[in-house]
Amino acid sequence: MNGYKISVILPTYNRLEFIEDTINSIMNQTYKDFEIVIADDGSTDGTDSYIEELKAKNDNIIYDKAVHSGICNARNRAINLSGGDYLFFIDSDDFIHPMLFERMIDAVKKTGSAMASEYFCEVNSKSIKEKMSGFEKEMADKDFIYRNANQTVYDYFHKSPIDMIGGLLVNKDFAKNIKFDDRFIIGEDKLYVYYCVKNNADYVIIPQKWYYNRIHKGNVSWDYSRKALLSRYMRRKTVWLSELELKRNENAVLQIEQGFSFLIEHFLRNKNLKELAFLSHIVKKDRKYFKLLKNKKHRILVFLISYFNPLLLFERNEKEFAVWKKSGLY
């Protein structure tokens, strides 16, 4: 397996209480040809002192700290600093099974796949120690499932092991022109995966739940702000526009359904006229797409929202829309 060096892409921001578990799970890998590239997004909780101490003891750690500018910039910095043949993505509050790298490299070596992934398991603080102590019980045969480029496209738009970037192994040369888009604060990882899929990636599945996704109150998935809503919606719009251009209309409709569902959920969560006006401001731009919605109730509701007059109630905030106007998405 010589020549298959893994660069672990590890962005972090104020995750000192979790990152030790993350790094230990990497250091304990049975496959040893790896480096850990840690991009610190301006942590203020003592992360730098902890990492510098680790770095002094381990020559396979690269550490770069910069001012806080978001996870996309952190990941892009880490990629630029990496020197491996493959990129492996992990969040600084998650951890992995000790045999994951070994299995992934074996699978991509046998198939030449652009990517590899595994299933993920959600864990909370109470179950983490139990999971870690039970690793030896989860050993399995060196099996994997190969998915060609067309199958990978299907998997992306349906629940699959490439549903998230945590635990994804990507051939660095294959992804050399793909970067994280810093317009997005949520969903930027799935957009990166989409660009890989669009670039005709194939992949292999390690059929074990060997990526452990830690659930806690600090997860960005709990962000329901307007800015987060726009990020979720515009990510899906980016994908559906691309899929319509590629004439893969069925995939586009799935993204349109999800995008408008987020708008409806946002209103139901807030249930006030100002938020209705805010949503109307978004939907008016995309009237021609909601006609493709298969859910009749959603189609009617979005239609009504689009014709709601926001002029008296909507407090226009140019900062919320400026980045999307520049991109042409809004």
Side-chain angles (χ1 to χ4, degrees):
M1 295 185 185
N2 292 335
Y4 289 82
K5 183 176 183 179
I6 297 174
S7 293
V8 180
I9 305 303
L10 178 56
T12 189
Y13 177 63
N14 290 341
R15 287 286 186 261
L16 182 60
E17 62 180 314
F18 304 134
I19 198 170
E20 183 177 0
D21 287 341
T22 306
I23 293 176
N24 284 342
S25 75
I26 299 166
M27 290 296 192
N28 290 334
Q29 290 295 301
T30 55
Y31 184 83
K32 297 299 183 183
D33 192 2
F34 64 83
E35 63 181 9
I36 307 175
V37 188
I38 304 170
D40 190 337
D41 190 32
S43 294
T44 57
D45 63 349
T47 294
D48 49 359
S49 299
Y50 171 69
I51 301 300
E52 289 291 357
E53 186 176 337
L54 273 181
K55 183 181 174 184
K57 300 174 183 176
N58 298 276
D59 58 8
N60 62 345
I61 292 180
I62 299 170
Y63 179 59
D64 178 65
K65 184 174 182 178
V67 296
H68 184 55
S69 58
I71 194 168
C72 290
N73 288 324
R75 285 200 182 109
N76 287 335
R77 289 197 339 261
I79 292 171
N80 291 338
L81 291 169
S82 66
D85 303 288
Y86 285 87
L87 307 173
F88 179 83
F89 296 95
I90 186 170
D91 290 339
S92 58
D93 48 2
D94 299 337
F95 58 99
I96 53 178
H97 189 280
M99 291 189 69
L100 182 58
F101 287 178
E102 180 181 330
R103 295 288 171 79
M104 284 184 153
I105 290 297
D106 179 64
V108 297
K109 182 180 181 182
K110 289 176 178 175
T111 61
S113 302
M115 305 190 303
S117 191
E118 70 299 295
Y119 293 95
F120 71 92
C121 177
E122 291 186 343
V123 293
N124 55 37
S125 298
K126 293 181 180 179
S127 62
I128 286 172
K129 289 186 179 180
E130 181 182 341
K131 273 292 179 188
M132 288 183 165
S133 64
F135 278 151
E136 68 280 356
K137 299 176 184 178
E138 298 183 18
M139 302 305 178
D141 294 333
K142 292 185 178 181
D143 54 347
F144 59 82
I145 302 164
Y146 173 75
R147 303 288 284 171
N148 64 33
N150 288 333
Q151 292 169 324
T152 302
V153 172
Y154 177 87
D155 285 3
Y156 178 82
F157 290 98
H158 300 80
K159 192 170 180 59
S160 73
I162 51 173
D163 189 52
M164 57 185 286
I165 202 168
L168 188 71
L169 184 79
V170 184
N171 183 291
K172 186 179 178 182
D173 187 60
F174 169 83
K176 62 184 177 182
N177 295 320
I178 301 174
K179 300 296 181 185
F180 288 87
D181 189 334
D182 64 5
R183 295 174 300 172
F184 297 85
I185 62 168
I186 290 180
E188 79 296 328
D189 52 347
K190 293 185 180 182
L191 189 59
Y192 179 94
V193 177
Y194 174 72
Y195 289 141
C196 290
V197 171
K198 186 180 177 181
N199 201 31
N200 295 317
D202 56 353
Y203 84 116
V204 287
I205 303 168
I206 309 303
Q208 283 86 35
K209 293 183 177 181
W210 279 1
Y211 186 91
Y212 304 96
N213 178 220
R214 188 193 301 257
I215 304 302
H216 59 91
K217 292 182 179 180
N219 291 132
V220 295
S221 56
W222 298 107
D223 186 350
Y224 297 119
S225 65
R226 286 182 174 184
K227 189 175 181 180
L229 173 69
L230 283 169
S231 185
R232 289 184 174 101
Y233 180 78
M234 294 301 180
R235 191 262 292 181
R236 286 165 175 80
K237 185 175 179 179
T238 299
V239 175
W240 89 53
L241 290 175
S242 176
E243 289 298 292
L244 286 174
E245 188 177 337
L246 292 168
K247 301 190 183 306
R248 298 193 296 222
N249 289 10
E250 184 177 344
N251 296 335
V253 169
L254 289 172
Q255 295 296 286
I256 292 169
E257 290 274 4
Q258 288 183 18
F260 285 112
S261 291
F262 273 115
L263 300 185
I264 293 168
E265 288 170 11
H266 182 82
F267 172 67
L268 294 176
R269 189 178 296 113
N270 294 278
K271 293 182 180 178
N272 65 69
L273 291 178
K274 285 188 177 180
E275 291 307 310
L276 181 60
F278 172 72
L279 297 178
S280 177
H281 209 70
I282 300 170
V283 172
K284 283 179 185 296
K285 301 288 184 179
D286 293 329
R287 278 184 180 147
K288 63 181 179 181
Y289 299 114
F290 70 70
K291 290 184 291 185
L292 298 174
L293 292 172
K294 293 181 179 179
N295 186 312
K296 187 176 180 180
K297 289 183 179 179
H298 283 186
R299 192 164 63 245
I300 293 172
L301 186 54
V302 173
F303 174 81
L304 293 174
I305 290 173
S306 75
Y307 280 95
F308 180 80
N309 188 344
L311 294 180
L312 297 177
L313 292 168
F314 179 60
E315 298 174 2
R316 180 182 287 270
N317 187 337
E318 292 296 339
K319 290 182 180 179
E320 290 176 333
F321 293 102
V323 65
W324 307 111
K325 286 182 176 180
K326 290 179 181 178
S327 68
L329 286 171
Y330 174 77

